């Protein structure tokens, strides 16, 4: 026969994991989209829309400009940096292309879904600012998502003692 303590611990585990696991399945995407890596302002554009933003493929600078003509566009810390609207690079364009995952990167309408920050072309060559900020935001989301597990770990001994 199981005592009330066993049933209290069993119910506690079901409640904790019934809340934590579904939360962790969706939280990362929600945190990134809403709080940590939101879309950049719509009234901004790059000075050179068909050039990389930061990396060894970008010669000079490519600042974000305000579409109203007020100068530099302010991108909030919780927003993603702007991406070029198009890129056209092949392995012959760089001596560092031997680390690239593809032989050519030709995008006439580049979007966030095209950028793979695990690929050195994007991470180091063309959109270093975007990939660095995305990696930082993902790491921050992981820390936030681990809070329920820490709470569970802290309360387990307490409930076990009862």
């Amino acid at each position: 026969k199981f005592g009330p303590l066993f049933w209290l611990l069993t119910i506690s585990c079901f409640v904790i994991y019934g809340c934590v696991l579904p939360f962790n399945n969706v939280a990362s995407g929600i945190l990134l989209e809403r709080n940590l890596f939101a879309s950049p302002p719509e009234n901004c554009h790059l000075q050179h829309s068909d050039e990389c933003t930061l990396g060894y493929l970008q010669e000079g600078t490519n600042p974000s400009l305000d579409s109203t003509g007020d100068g530099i566009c302010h991108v909030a810390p919780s927003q993603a940096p702007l991406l070029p609207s198009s890129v056209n690079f092949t392995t012959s364009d760089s001596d560092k292309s031997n680390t690239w995952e593809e032989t050519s990167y030709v995008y006439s309408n580049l979007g966030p879904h095209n950028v793979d920050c695990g690929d050195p072309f994007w991470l180091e060559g063309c959109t270093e600012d975007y990939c660095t900020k995305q990696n930082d935001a993902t790491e921050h989301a992981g820390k936030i998502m681990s809070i329920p597990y820490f709470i569970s770990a802290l309360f387990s001994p307490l409930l076990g003692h009862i």
Side-chain angles (χ1 to χ4, degrees), residues 48-118:
H48 307 287
S49 63
D50 61 344
E51 293 182 14
C52 294
T53 54
L54 184 66
Y56 58 78
L57 294 171
Q58 174 58 33
E59 297 176 13
T61 61
N62 193 3
S64 302
L65 302 176
D66 192 328
S67 297
T68 60
D70 292 336
I72 301 295
C73 182
H74 175 69
V75 177
S78 62
Q79 292 177 309
L82 292 171
L83 289 171
S85 58
S86 64
V87 294
N88 186 350
F89 288 97
T90 63
T91 53
S92 62
D93 293 325
S94 173
D95 57 350
K96 297 181 181 181
S97 64
N98 59 340
T99 62
W100 296 357
E101 293 181 6
E102 306 289 332
T103 55
S104 66
Y105 295 84
V106 180
Y107 297 96
S108 58
N109 190 16
L110 182 68
H113 61 280
N114 300 118
V115 178
D116 174 12
C117 289

Side-chain angles (χ1 to χ4, degrees), residues 20 22-23 56-57 65 69 80 89 100 105 111 122 126 131 136 141 145-146 151 153 162:
V20 171
F23 169 78
Y56 58 78
L57 294 171
L65 302 176
F89 288 97
W100 296 357
Y105 295 84
W122 300 110
C126 191
C131 290
D136 291 347
M145 292 170 40
S146 67
I151 292 171
I162 295 175

Side-chain angles (χ1 to χ4, degrees), residues 9-25 148-154 156:
L9 286 172
T10 302
I11 291 169
S12 169
C13 285
F14 275 104
V15 169
I16 295 283
Y17 288 104
C19 296
V20 171
L21 293 178
F23 169 78
N24 277 345
N25 284 337
Y149 288 110
F150 285 124
I151 292 171
S152 176
L154 289 173
S156 291

